[in-house]
Amino acid sequence: MSDTTAADATTGSGSAGPSSTYEVLAVRYASRLTTAHDVYLNYHLYREPDRPLTMDYFFWIVRNAERTIVVDTGYSADAAVTRDRPVLMSTRQALQAARVDPAGVDQVVLTHAHFDHIGGVSVLDSGEVVMTRTEYEFWMSPLAERHQFAHTAERADLDHLRQLVADDRMTLTGGSPHQLAPGVQLLQLGGHTPGQAVVVVETAGGDVVLASDAMHYYEEIERDRPFNIVADMAAMYRAFDQLNELGQQGAVLVAGHDPAVMTRFPERAGHDEVVRIA
Ligand SMILES: [Zn+2]
């Protein structure tokens, strides 16, 4: 297990040569129908009629000639059953669809500890696992057992995180930004969960921000509407500001659960559910 120091904050960009240019993929592994009322916090405040919304579930691949990074992992087969959330593909099938060999993954980044982001980590049984120390320590604390938090996580998944620490496979980041690899940074934004992270990747076409649940839907930052699962609303609004700022600087923002990802990025990478972002 390692930690970060202030030195991490000084390493902005990698020396990416042509062979180390990153490819970024989004893999859609599940999809379900919900409503705006169930998605946005206090939706009645907007005085709009309710409307159906599709919620897609993704994880992401960042890779080049030197390394493969998997960002989040989908949810476990057990959670799919107990929560009645059927999947389009299991984590293993989704990795296969993106032509990722689990044994060849160098790093697994867990953006936060919700069940739909960490439940598939057991499929990836080698390589470094990275999450923010704030996030890990929160979910190991008694507060995480309170109902409003506990229902968003699976005890078995949290036990698995504990095991990753015991096995010395987990890196808990203490600084933000934290450099994951040349040209790949983790930013801790908080809000949705105490240590919610996003991943920023330098690509040939500019920076790509994998926002995960710092922005489930583009509407959150475009219309300033918090999602209904929120640990710290002030931090969530600040995260919206940071994402909007990155967007204004030219970064490509990738929402965590928005079906618009499937249309904003129309190119596929060898499979209908594997979206080429860059
Ligand atoms: Zn979440």
Side-chain angles (χ1 to χ4, degrees), residues 232-266:
D232 178 340
M233 192 152 59
M236 183 175 275
Y237 277 128
R238 282 195 293 272
F240 290 177
D241 291 345
Q242 277 184 267
L243 290 170
N244 272 319
E245 198 174 317
L246 287 165
Q248 281 153 16
Q249 289 165 2
V252 172
L253 305 182
V254 182
H257 289 271
D258 197 328
V261 167
M262 304 301 286
T263 49
R264 285 193 185 207
F265 307 98

Side-chain angles (χ1 to χ4, degrees), residues 34-54:
T34 180
T35 67
H37 177 273
D38 283 347
V39 160
Y40 294 107
L41 182 70
N42 294 326
Y43 186 69
H44 63 277
L45 295 176
Y46 306 119
R47 298 174 183 277
E48 292 174 14
D50 200 6
R51 57 193 150 94
L53 270 185
T54 298

Side-chain angles (χ1 to χ4, degrees), residues 105-129:
V105 171
D106 301 285
Q107 283 172 308
V108 183
V109 180
L110 302 176
T111 63
H112 64 302
H114 283 164
F115 78 97
D116 54 324
H117 294 260
I118 67 169
V121 72
S122 56
V123 171
L124 297 151
D125 53 11
S126 62
E128 178 191 26
V129 181

Side-chain angles (χ1 to χ4, degrees), residues 112 114 116-117 192-193 196 212-213 216 227 229 257:
H112 64 302
H114 283 164
D116 54 324
H117 294 260
H192 175 60
T193 61
Q196 169 76 50
S212 179
D213 289 4
H216 301 69
F227 190 78
I229 298 173
H257 289 271

Side-chain angles (χ1 to χ4, degrees), residues 89-154:
M89 294 183 282
S90 69
T91 301
R92 203 176 288 281
Q93 289 167 332
L95 289 167
Q96 200 170 28
R99 297 190 305 280
V100 173
D101 173 8
V105 171
D106 301 285
Q107 283 172 308
V108 183
V109 180
L110 302 176
T111 63
H112 64 302
H114 283 164
F115 78 97
D116 54 324
H117 294 260
I118 67 169
V121 72
S122 56
V123 171
L124 297 151
D125 53 11
S126 62
E128 178 191 26
V129 181
V130 183
M131 76 187 306
T132 69
R133 178 176 294 282
T134 305
E135 185 73 2
Y136 179 80
E137 289 184 349
F138 173 78
W139 289 99
M140 297 301 137
S141 76
L143 259 182
E145 291 165 20
R146 308 290 272 272
H147 186 70
Q148 291 280 339
F149 288 117
H151 83 99
T152 61
E154 291 284 333

